[in-house]
Amino acid sequence: MLERNVETFIGCDASYDDARIVLFGAPFDSTTSFRPGTRFAPHAIRSESFGLETYSPWLDRDLEDISVFDSGDIELCIGSADKALDQISERTSVILADGKVPFMIGGEHLVTLGSFRKVFRKYPDVHIIHFDAHTDLRDDYLDVKLSHACVLRRCHDLVGDGRIHQFGIRSGERAEWQWARAGHTDLHPFNFDGLAQVVEGLGSAPVYFTIDLDVMDPSVFPGTGTPEYGGVTFMQLIEAIYTVCGKCNIVGLDVNELCPPYDQSGASTAAACKIIRELLLSVNYK
Amino acid sequence: MLERNVETFIGCDASYDDARIVLFGAPFDSTTSFRPGTRFAPHAIRSESFGLETYSPWLDRDLEDISVFDSGDIELCIGSADKALDQISERTSVILADGKVPFMIGGEHLVTLGSFRKVFRKYPDVHIIHFDAHTDLRDDYLDVKLSHACVLRRCHDLVGDGRIHQFGIRSGERAEWQWARAGHTDLHPFNFDGLAQVVEGLGSAPVYFTIDLDVMDPSVFPGTGTPEYGGVTFMQLIEAIYTVCGKCNIVGLDVNELCPPYDQSGASTAAACKIIRELLLSVNYK
Amino acid sequence: MLERNVETFIGCDASYDDARIVLFGAPFDSTTSFRPGTRFAPHAIRSESFGLETYSPWLDRDLEDISVFDSGDIELCIGSADKALDQISERTSVILADGKVPFMIGGEHLVTLGSFRKVFRKYPDVHIIHFDAHTDLRDDYLDVKLSHACVLRRCHDLVGDGRIHQFGIRSGERAEWQWARAGHTDLHPFNFDGLAQVVEGLGSAPVYFTIDLDVMDPSVFPGTGTPEYGGVTFMQLIEAIYTVCGKCNIVGLDVNELCPPYDQSGASTAAACKIIRELLLSVNYK
Amino acid sequence: MLERNVETFIGCDASYDDARIVLFGAPFDSTTSFRPGTRFAPHAIRSESFGLETYSPWLDRDLEDISVFDSGDIELCIGSADKALDQISERTSVILADGKVPFMIGGEHLVTLGSFRKVFRKYPDVHIIHFDAHTDLRDDYLDVKLSHACVLRRCHDLVGDGRIHQFGIRSGERAEWQWARAGHTDLHPFNFDGLAQVVEGLGSAPVYFTIDLDVMDPSVFPGTGTPEYGGVTFMQLIEAIYTVCGKCNIVGLDVNELCPPYDQSGASTAAACKIIRELLLSVNYK
Amino acid sequence: MLERNVETFIGCDASYDDARIVLFGAPFDSTTSFRPGTRFAPHAIRSESFGLETYSPWLDRDLEDISVFDSGDIELCIGSADKALDQISERTSVILADGKVPFMIGGEHLVTLGSFRKVFRKYPDVHIIHFDAHTDLRDDYLDVKLSHACVLRRCHDLVGDGRIHQFGIRSGERAEWQWARAGHTDLHPFNFDGLAQVVEGLGSAPVYFTIDLDVMDPSVFPGTGTPEYGGVTFMQLIEAIYTVCGKCNIVGLDVNELCPPYDQSGASTAAACKIIRELLLSVNYK
Amino acid sequence: MLERNVETFIGCDASYDDARIVLFGAPFDSTTSFRPGTRFAPHAIRSESFGLETYSPWLDRDLEDISVFDSGDIELCIGSADKALDQISERTSVILADGKVPFMIGGEHLVTLGSFRKVFRKYPDVHIIHFDAHTDLRDDYLDVKLSHACVLRRCHDLVGDGRIHQFGIRSGERAEWQWARAGHTDLHPFNFDGLAQVVEGLGSAPVYFTIDLDVMDPSVFPGTGTPEYGGVTFMQLIEAIYTVCGKCNIVGLDVNELCPPYDQSGASTAAACKIIRELLLSVNYK
């Protein structure tokens, strides 16, 4: 009798019951306005993770020491943002109900909304830590409310002022910057200045952590739909991740906007894999 | 004083008033379920058309002899099929109201619905001649009604049985084939057998002509989202186009499903350009 | 409780016990002398199969009607042909012992030897039907005996003269052609002439069916390591497959030499998927 | 009545009369000795500029606040450097005569000569600020005087010693370095050391500003014909641009040597777009 | 003591003295108006020829039986068509003077002129057999006389009416077609109809044979600068080559317009290699 | 009489007798477990070196001043690591016997073993300086002892503890790190800290210098099989090379793991070329 050889993110082959973190892919990019393809990211990340070691020499920790279940990709309803977000919410619900931490791999940034809606329902006092090149604060984009360009604005609809902490931002319409600076979000432009203080201030509050990988400079991470020069380096991002995960009470997280069709060398996918490894090894680590 | 050097499809620089045919691009692919990228097709076709001559040695005719206005691309609402189809309908309306023939360059096949709705309103007795590899007759796709996989079914909602004439079809769910064969559409599998008779039978009835370029075999036309082997050759398609355009009363047409990200050599884009040239030179030619 | 969403070749999700055919991938290309990359083929085929319908309009049959278990890829020992062939033999053994038909997806053509050794042990009177552009009859290649360029010669070491029936061959060293023509193999150059007679003559003898996809012309199938112009078309190959599978007693089969790094458009991978579907639907069909 | 939807660099849709700066593309690369393709740059830049915001958070300025006319590409005579340079000179003449600033997007670096000849005629005391990886000071290249490798030498033929200020240089023949160091040009190797002083010293003298984008390190900007490691970062270039544009009396400028065929991810094109935006927002800003 | 391992076209390692045919590369594409890159063809062909066998099963001949010297590439003066053509003429002169047959690998089609000028000087009664998709009969192209688009017109300047026999032609300006049909050239559109008669009629006259590889359909040969659908298949071209080489007195030949940057799969390069092999094995074969 | 135009690494055209350094390519990648293609590196490096100047402005030295013989590539036995290593050892032997310095261009890192075996035989007290992202200290990899992942472990089998000095390391299994830290190798993680002291300590001992180019960060050097973020910059590597070459008694060296199929822009190949130039200009420079 043969068993099927099943592909998961490397080292994430715990059973669902044993797992404290549950990975899932959200292969959706229907609202991407410029260059589509993030739908291929979860699959690419899972495949390319086999070029990665399970051991992190920075942290001196190994994926073999922790328990993660990779539940594979949701088969999302391409072409309808409404339905796709509902499907994501449903998956997140189950994970939260079972007392586990949902870790979503996008897809475009809009997928965050599907996951965050359920996190917010469970933790109404949740804060968002948001790493990104873009503000994502438009109220609508070409008349559409459910767009990657509006996703943090939709989250703001839920949490209100002062609960969204943005870092690395360097692109947006003038109106978005003005809206943020009017106090609606806690926007830190260009880099991670102020992150340690924010983390300190959050104490034990629940935190949803969303990383748009384009927060990295395109010299580091070209494989994304809308590359924005002037960003952070890989090691700056890793250090910032340690800052957040080392102190915060993370109740949900996601990594998004890898766009494999624009990653001919595979290096951006490799970066995403290593970032996910470091997140897994530092979030809620015992 | 400098004039702006504006890019149009080669030889299509008539004024709007003088034009009998109006080209426009519909760069939409939000419901593409497999591999996106047809949104880039109108732009790529316009650029690559400069590798083409305006003269057709097969027809011994030249684009310089006819009057076509290329109105550029519509700025479509990515992420909402409803709104995008309305925008396409609006553009088509204007063209039809001015007594001209709308010639749309997709985009995914769903865009046909936006144009056809207005053609149907003006010509309620219109027939559709449909060249494609796929049936496109699903009633819904992953619960979505407005999907590229359902576009001819949506057209059937308007025109009913026996008015859709499909050629070259070689892929679909078993249920779609059964539905078609039950008499809902006039489905001719694999090639153009029977086309001359269909054209003969249509007489002077108004005809909407929609060409999914994947009707061609992937050896000829690899640059499409869902390549289906077993298709027709380039010259077979050209001959079929002459058959349709030489006799039928074409009141609207479109060419769709070129996917430039999968056309590294540019040959598929060149095929699309030449097909458009031959269409322009044979449709309603005086 | 969440179940893992597992990727198989489309429609091949039967349980092992129910299955009559067992698919497995052999991602090996260490002896490829020219352009490597066939190791990526099983994975690419599995992924891209989701662009395929389960229904074949040529056969009017559907993968939903048959029972296939896709056991995933073997984790082969890259860098040692000896060990990799042993691993393939082991997998084949289990499948044969359970009374099922092994269907291997390569990898380079050498993998055939691993599977065939066990098929030959179970069926000592087995014949081989071999579709290929290349003779693959070198006794050694750069002093190596276990090479893709020698694989049919190694099979000949087992079965001897007259039991290997080669079709479509159009490339090889002069010495290989002379050796074949001396009666060691039944070589049919360039196309499938004589196939029907060979199949007729085999009667109910057990047959191992190995298809090197480069038997197709590079205009049809460019995505392979050593493209050889002058080959057959897709439909010629499909017809030949029906000829073989409709009559022969197939006891094992494989499809190999898709090289995804040279298939930018994905069309060659799509061709491989459709060929596998038609094989699954026609081999030993009840 | 339909208006044509015309593509310009984002935010550069002023009328010619209103514009203070006039953009134009010079798609020429016939003398490129190594890897051609810069001819595609102006078109790619214009297309990809739609991934950019019009607002710069560094400068807190917006393209909506200034008036730029994008006149499109010149249809240059590929294959004859002489004629192509004349065509560029002619375009520049018109712009200068109308009291506007010509902003050319190359093409290979040779195009600078076409523009500079007319700038020099109008401003005989003009200086050149030159950012580049290469000296471009050969007297001839394979016996050709009008070559990208000689362009600054040809400019020196016009302006003589001490009027060309080169920064970032890290590649050239030994003889070119010796010639420069003999005092013919003001060569600053490797980076922007000394730029502030040079700018200070120029006072209100007219300045032609030419940026070969390969001044950036290939880690930042791989999409160029001759990548030279050891260059500056994106932010270093942006700061240097502010230094120049904030003080100098810029009377003409160009950006060149983006080579889209070597920019698979589009990141280099995105870098070029953002550099052009920052130039437009800082040159002669009121 | 080590010898250098030198790369030649496979099997073409005769000494210059022994050789009857001399290969050389002409890596020039400065006048290419649409998509450059044929400069890389001779190098790519030489490299990829190692995927080829020296034995042709169609002809039952082997490169080991004949004597060819591959002299490598000329280092051409990129940027000046005049000088590059002189360099080609010089190389051809030496070969002709030594009583050998020059076999040039382009490069763009203009290179033919450099070689043909010397062939014409030695054989004033020479005819040209020209396989191509394009007429190449413009008198000038954007005001340039030495352009790939004019190359057969420049040859006509030398030989006059009725000495240029064109086959496979399917693209050109209307004026070129009219000029050809007025009797200036012997133009056979679309395919090789009439070739056998032309060859018969030429008897023992000296013939220069120039093959623009884009005579093949882009489904077969996508890797070229200006793909033109409606062309011949690979086997049709091979048969036509046998027709010409089997009877004609070939005194010089060339193969041109492979454009490797548009040949991601390498299949077009493989086609070029096999065509060169068949040419070498059939031209003046003893 | 024509001489063959032979391609060498730029400026490396000394005769064998005159040369102090002998370059050779080792195009082998059969044990590459993840993404193959380094076999193409020596060829790519030789070709692309023509985009490089022979003069280094950092060192103010020129390749024209030194004598290097490029002996081309060894035709290695793909598919058998044993035989390939023997072939490499044989080539190295000849060079060492003639009193010259072998400079090998890989290929995967395993090739180092072939060269080092002979260096070790001649210089039993040799030390290794090893720049890499990976430990390469596995005792076996998937049961194979001769693997790229084991190469330094195999060298350790020869030299024993304390003679391998590793820098830049940031990836490996936990067990490898523990083994190294137990004193078997002198492992310096992440960067070049401690290099000057190591070099100082080595005095005039013979040194074999092996550079796995993936020691550079993937932002700098994406074109490699297993990109590992967190690495050094180009200029840090160049400085480290000067540190080693300026003081050490280098008796053999190699540069490996460039993987051209993942270097679409060519920038990584350009980096490799420049690193080789700087090595040639600084190693044993008189």
Side-chain angles (χ1 to χ4, degrees), chain E residues 227-248:
Chain E
E228 293 284 350
Y229 278 86
V232 302
T233 68
F234 180 82
M235 289 309 299
Q236 286 171 330
L237 175 55
I238 290 293
E239 292 295 340
I241 284 171
Y242 296 162
T243 300
V244 172
C245 293
K247 291 251 172 119
C248 288

Side-chain angles (χ1 to χ4, degrees), chain B residues 174 177-178 181, chain C residues 55-62 65 242 278 281 285:
Chain B
R174 184 156 47 185
W177 285 80
Q178 289 168 340
R181 284 167 174 156
Chain C
Y55 172 73
S56 166
W58 293 303
L59 294 169
D60 194 19
R61 291 176 197 159
D62 200 300
D65 305 335
Y242 296 161
E278 298 302 303
L281 289 176
Y285 192 85

